[in-house]
PDB file of all heavy atoms in Angstrom:
ATOM      1  N   ARG A  94      -2.285  -4.663 -17.750  1.00  0.00           N
ATOM      2  CA  ARG A  94      -1.809  -4.371 -19.116  1.00  0.00           C
ATOM      3  C   ARG A  94      -0.624  -3.399 -19.056  1.00  0.00           C
ATOM      4  O   ARG A  94       0.326  -3.508 -19.828  1.00  0.00           O
ATOM      5  CB  ARG A  94      -2.945  -3.806 -19.967  1.00  0.00           C
ATOM      6  CG  ARG A  94      -2.544  -3.635 -21.426  1.00  0.00           C
ATOM      7  CD  ARG A  94      -3.713  -3.248 -22.299  1.00  0.00           C
ATOM      8  NE  ARG A  94      -4.269  -1.958 -21.924  1.00  0.00           N
ATOM      9  CZ  ARG A  94      -5.406  -1.461 -22.411  1.00  0.00           C
ATOM     10  NH1 ARG A  94      -6.112  -2.156 -23.277  1.00  0.00           N
ATOM     11  NH2 ARG A  94      -5.843  -0.286 -22.039  1.00  0.00           N
ATOM     12  N   ARG A 186       1.210  -0.690 -39.066  1.00  0.00           N
ATOM     13  CA  ARG A 186       1.370  -0.174 -37.710  1.00  0.00           C
ATOM     14  C   ARG A 186       2.295  -1.028 -36.869  1.00  0.00           C
ATOM     15  O   ARG A 186       3.095  -0.519 -36.104  1.00  0.00           O
ATOM     16  CB  ARG A 186      -0.009  -0.077 -37.055  1.00  0.00           C
ATOM     17  CG  ARG A 186      -0.006   0.278 -35.570  1.00  0.00           C
ATOM     18  CD  ARG A 186      -1.418   0.188 -35.020  1.00  0.00           C
ATOM     19  NE  ARG A 186      -1.440   0.489 -33.602  1.00  0.00           N
ATOM     20  CZ  ARG A 186      -1.306  -0.412 -32.654  1.00  0.00           C
ATOM     21  NH1 ARG A 186      -1.114  -1.676 -32.970  1.00  0.00           N
ATOM     22  NH2 ARG A 186      -1.349  -0.056 -31.393  1.00  0.00           N
ATOM     23  N   LYS A 196       1.003  -0.715 -24.927  1.00  0.00           N
ATOM     24  CA  LYS A 196       0.372   0.608 -25.072  1.00  0.00           C
ATOM     25  C   LYS A 196       1.471   1.634 -24.859  1.00  0.00           C
ATOM     26  O   LYS A 196       1.829   1.971 -23.729  1.00  0.00           O
ATOM     27  CB  LYS A 196      -0.772   0.742 -24.068  1.00  0.00           C
ATOM     28  CG  LYS A 196      -1.816   1.757 -24.507  1.00  0.00           C
ATOM     29  CD  LYS A 196      -3.141   1.485 -23.830  1.00  0.00           C
ATOM     30  CE  LYS A 196      -4.097   2.651 -23.977  1.00  0.00           C
ATOM     31  NZ  LYS A 196      -4.487   2.965 -25.338  1.00  0.00           N
ATOM     32  N   TYR A 201       1.524   5.053 -31.759  1.00  0.00           N
ATOM     33  CA  TYR A 201       0.602   6.107 -32.195  1.00  0.00           C
ATOM     34  C   TYR A 201       1.346   7.077 -33.121  1.00  0.00           C
ATOM     35  O   TYR A 201       0.778   7.562 -34.101  1.00  0.00           O
ATOM     36  CB  TYR A 201      -0.018   6.788 -30.968  1.00  0.00           C
ATOM     37  CG  TYR A 201      -0.828   5.765 -30.173  1.00  0.00           C
ATOM     38  CD1 TYR A 201      -0.202   4.862 -29.308  1.00  0.00           C
ATOM     39  CD2 TYR A 201      -2.199   5.641 -30.353  1.00  0.00           C
ATOM     40  CE1 TYR A 201      -0.915   3.882 -28.641  1.00  0.00           C
ATOM     41  CE2 TYR A 201      -2.923   4.669 -29.674  1.00  0.00           C
ATOM     42  CZ  TYR A 201      -2.270   3.790 -28.823  1.00  0.00           C
ATOM     43  OH  TYR A 201      -2.979   2.816 -28.166  1.00  0.00           O
ATOM     44  N   GLU A 232      -6.679  -3.863 -36.099  1.00  0.00           N
ATOM     45  CA  GLU A 232      -7.464  -3.006 -35.201  1.00  0.00           C
ATOM     46  C   GLU A 232      -7.471  -1.589 -35.766  1.00  0.00           C
ATOM     47  O   GLU A 232      -6.768  -1.293 -36.731  1.00  0.00           O
ATOM     48  CB  GLU A 232      -6.882  -3.011 -33.788  1.00  0.00           C
ATOM     49  CG  GLU A 232      -5.501  -2.403 -33.709  1.00  0.00           C
ATOM     50  CD  GLU A 232      -4.954  -2.337 -32.294  1.00  0.00           C
ATOM     51  OE1 GLU A 232      -5.729  -2.167 -31.351  1.00  0.00           O
ATOM     52  OE2 GLU A 232      -3.722  -2.442 -32.152  1.00  0.00           O
ATOM     53  N   VAL A 233      -8.256  -0.735 -35.125  1.00  0.00           N
ATOM     54  CA  VAL A 233      -8.357   0.656 -35.565  1.00  0.00           C
ATOM     55  C   VAL A 233      -7.382   1.487 -34.722  1.00  0.00           C
ATOM     56  O   VAL A 233      -6.887   1.028 -33.691  1.00  0.00           O
ATOM     57  CB  VAL A 233      -9.825   1.136 -35.419  1.00  0.00           C
ATOM     58  CG1 VAL A 233     -10.002   2.559 -35.922  1.00  0.00           C
ATOM     59  CG2 VAL A 233     -10.752   0.214 -36.198  1.00  0.00           C
ATOM     60  N   GLY A 234      -7.120   2.731 -35.135  1.00  0.00           N
ATOM     61  CA  GLY A 234      -6.136   3.585 -34.461  1.00  0.00           C
ATOM     62  C   GLY A 234      -6.326   3.688 -32.962  1.00  0.00           C
ATOM     63  O   GLY A 234      -5.354   3.702 -32.207  1.00  0.00           O
ATOM     64  N   ALA A 235      -7.574   3.765 -32.490  1.00  0.00           N
ATOM     65  CA  ALA A 235      -7.793   3.940 -31.056  1.00  0.00           C
ATOM     66  C   ALA A 235      -8.852   2.975 -30.521  1.00  0.00           C
ATOM     67  O   ALA A 235      -9.476   3.233 -29.493  1.00  0.00           O
ATOM     68  CB  ALA A 235      -8.200   5.382 -30.758  1.00  0.00           C
ATOM     69  N   MET A 236      -9.082   1.874 -31.262  1.00  0.00           N
ATOM     70  CA  MET A 236     -10.062   0.904 -30.761  1.00  0.00           C
ATOM     71  C   MET A 236      -9.887  -0.453 -31.449  1.00  0.00           C
ATOM     72  O   MET A 236      -9.303  -0.541 -32.525  1.00  0.00           O
ATOM     73  CB  MET A 236     -11.492   1.422 -30.942  1.00  0.00           C
ATOM     74  CG  MET A 236     -11.855   1.856 -32.337  1.00  0.00           C
ATOM     75  SD  MET A 236     -13.470   2.679 -32.373  1.00  0.00           S
ATOM     76  CE  MET A 236     -13.783   2.693 -34.135  1.00  0.00           C
ATOM     77  N   ASN A 237     -10.410  -1.500 -30.823  1.00  0.00           N
ATOM     78  CA  ASN A 237     -10.479  -2.822 -31.450  1.00  0.00           C
ATOM     79  C   ASN A 237     -11.712  -2.860 -32.343  1.00  0.00           C
ATOM     80  O   ASN A 237     -12.597  -2.017 -32.224  1.00  0.00           O
ATOM     81  CB  ASN A 237     -10.550  -3.911 -30.371  1.00  0.00           C
ATOM     82  CG  ASN A 237      -9.281  -3.976 -29.535  1.00  0.00           C
ATOM     83  OD1 ASN A 237      -9.273  -3.606 -28.363  1.00  0.00           O
ATOM     84  ND2 ASN A 237      -8.195  -4.435 -30.129  1.00  0.00           N
ATOM     85  N   LEU A 256      -3.597  -4.367 -29.675  1.00  0.00           N
ATOM     86  CA  LEU A 256      -3.760  -4.095 -28.249  1.00  0.00           C
ATOM     87  C   LEU A 256      -4.856  -4.984 -27.648  1.00  0.00           C
ATOM     88  O   LEU A 256      -5.961  -5.048 -28.198  1.00  0.00           O
ATOM     89  CB  LEU A 256      -4.132  -2.622 -28.037  1.00  0.00           C
ATOM     90  CG  LEU A 256      -4.013  -2.182 -26.581  1.00  0.00           C
ATOM     91  CD1 LEU A 256      -2.554  -1.922 -26.219  1.00  0.00           C
ATOM     92  CD2 LEU A 256      -4.820  -0.919 -26.319  1.00  0.00           C
ATOM     93  N   GLY A 258      -7.558  -5.019 -25.844  1.00  0.00           N
ATOM     94  CA  GLY A 258      -8.469  -4.018 -25.293  1.00  0.00           C
ATOM     95  C   GLY A 258      -9.314  -4.586 -24.158  1.00  0.00           C
ATOM     96  O   GLY A 258      -9.786  -5.728 -24.215  1.00  0.00           O
ATOM     97  N   ILE A 259      -9.527  -3.766 -23.153  1.00  0.00           N
ATOM     98  CA  ILE A 259     -10.347  -4.176 -22.009  1.00  0.00           C
ATOM     99  C   ILE A 259     -11.819  -4.146 -22.422  1.00  0.00           C
ATOM    100  O   ILE A 259     -12.607  -5.008 -22.034  1.00  0.00           O
ATOM    101  CB  ILE A 259     -10.025  -3.271 -20.810  1.00  0.00           C
ATOM    102  CG1 ILE A 259      -8.581  -3.571 -20.372  1.00  0.00           C
ATOM    103  CG2 ILE A 259     -11.014  -3.478 -19.657  1.00  0.00           C
ATOM    104  CD1 ILE A 259      -7.899  -2.480 -19.634  1.00  0.00           C
ATOM    105  N   THR A 260     -12.178  -3.183 -23.248  1.00  0.00           N
ATOM    106  CA  THR A 260     -13.548  -3.150 -23.759  1.00  0.00           C
ATOM    107  C   THR A 260     -13.769  -4.357 -24.679  1.00  0.00           C
ATOM    108  O   THR A 260     -14.820  -4.991 -24.645  1.00  0.00           O
ATOM    109  CB  THR A 260     -13.811  -1.831 -24.522  1.00  0.00           C
ATOM    110  OG1 THR A 260     -13.111  -0.767 -23.883  1.00  0.00           O
ATOM    111  CG2 THR A 260     -15.286  -1.504 -24.567  1.00  0.00           C
ATOM    112  N   ARG A 261     -12.768  -4.686 -25.486  1.00  0.00           N
ATOM    113  CA  ARG A 261     -12.840  -5.860 -26.382  1.00  0.00           C
ATOM    114  C   ARG A 261     -13.138  -7.120 -25.573  1.00  0.00           C
ATOM    115  O   ARG A 261     -14.047  -7.884 -25.887  1.00  0.00           O
ATOM    116  CB  ARG A 261     -11.500  -6.006 -27.120  1.00  0.00           C
ATOM    117  CG  ARG A 261     -11.368  -7.254 -27.968  1.00  0.00           C
ATOM    118  CD  ARG A 261      -9.920  -7.410 -28.441  1.00  0.00           C
ATOM    119  NE  ARG A 261      -9.728  -8.623 -29.210  1.00  0.00           N
ATOM    120  CZ  ARG A 261      -9.609  -9.839 -28.687  1.00  0.00           C
ATOM    121  NH1 ARG A 261      -9.642 -10.021 -27.372  1.00  0.00           N
ATOM    122  NH2 ARG A 261      -9.451 -10.881 -29.468  1.00  0.00           N
ATOM    123  N   SER A 300     -14.412  -0.892 -30.374  1.00  0.00           N
ATOM    124  CA  SER A 300     -14.549  -0.868 -28.909  1.00  0.00           C
ATOM    125  C   SER A 300     -13.295  -0.270 -28.295  1.00  0.00           C
ATOM    126  O   SER A 300     -12.184  -0.588 -28.704  1.00  0.00           O
ATOM    127  CB  SER A 300     -14.738  -2.292 -28.386  1.00  0.00           C
ATOM    128  OG  SER A 300     -13.530  -3.025 -28.515  1.00  0.00           O
ATOM    129  N   GLY A 301     -13.494   0.621 -27.333  1.00  0.00           N
ATOM    130  CA  GLY A 301     -12.338   1.204 -26.649  1.00  0.00           C
ATOM    131  C   GLY A 301     -12.806   2.063 -25.493  1.00  0.00           C
ATOM    132  O   GLY A 301     -13.983   2.430 -25.413  1.00  0.00           O
ATOM    133  N   THR A 302     -11.890   2.405 -24.609  1.00  0.00           N
ATOM    134  CA  THR A 302     -12.251   3.236 -23.456  1.00  0.00           C
ATOM    135  C   THR A 302     -12.704   4.615 -23.928  1.00  0.00           C
ATOM    136  O   THR A 302     -13.762   5.100 -23.543  1.00  0.00           O
ATOM    137  CB  THR A 302     -11.043   3.360 -22.513  1.00  0.00           C
ATOM    138  OG1 THR A 302     -10.723   2.052 -22.077  1.00  0.00           O
ATOM    139  CG2 THR A 302     -11.357   4.240 -21.317  1.00  0.00           C
TER     140      THR A 302
HETATM  141  N1  PLP B   1      -6.549  -0.424 -29.708  1.00  0.00           N
HETATM  142  C1  PLP B   1      -5.863   0.728 -29.611  1.00  0.00           C
HETATM  143  C2  PLP B   1      -4.776   0.988 -30.577  1.00  0.00           C
HETATM  144  C3  PLP B   1      -6.171   1.649 -28.591  1.00  0.00           C
HETATM  145  O1  PLP B   1      -5.497   2.794 -28.477  1.00  0.00           O
HETATM  146  C4  PLP B   1      -7.222   1.347 -27.698  1.00  0.00           C
HETATM  147  C5  PLP B   1      -7.545   2.270 -26.605  1.00  0.00           C
HETATM  148  O2  PLP B   1      -7.128   2.133 -25.526  1.00  0.00           O
HETATM  149  C6  PLP B   1      -7.906   0.130 -27.845  1.00  0.00           C
HETATM  150  C7  PLP B   1      -7.545  -0.725 -28.863  1.00  0.00           C
HETATM  151  C8  PLP B   1      -8.998  -0.258 -26.892  1.00  0.00           C
HETATM  152  O3  PLP B   1      -8.521  -0.645 -25.644  1.00  0.00           O
HETATM  153  P1  PLP B   1      -9.397  -0.469 -24.337  1.00  0.00           P
HETATM  154  O4  PLP B   1     -10.703  -1.089 -24.618  1.00  0.00           O
HETATM  155  O5  PLP B   1      -8.641  -1.151 -23.271  1.00  0.00           O
HETATM  156  O6  PLP B   1      -9.512   0.995 -24.103  1.00  0.00           O
END
Side-chain angles (χ1 to χ4, degrees):
R94 186 173 63 189
R186 173 186 179 270
K196 204 158 166 63
Y201 298 80
E232 65 177 328
V233 183
M236 53 189 193
N237 295 109
L256 193 78
I259 293 156
T260 324
R261 174 190 178 282
S300 71
T302 299

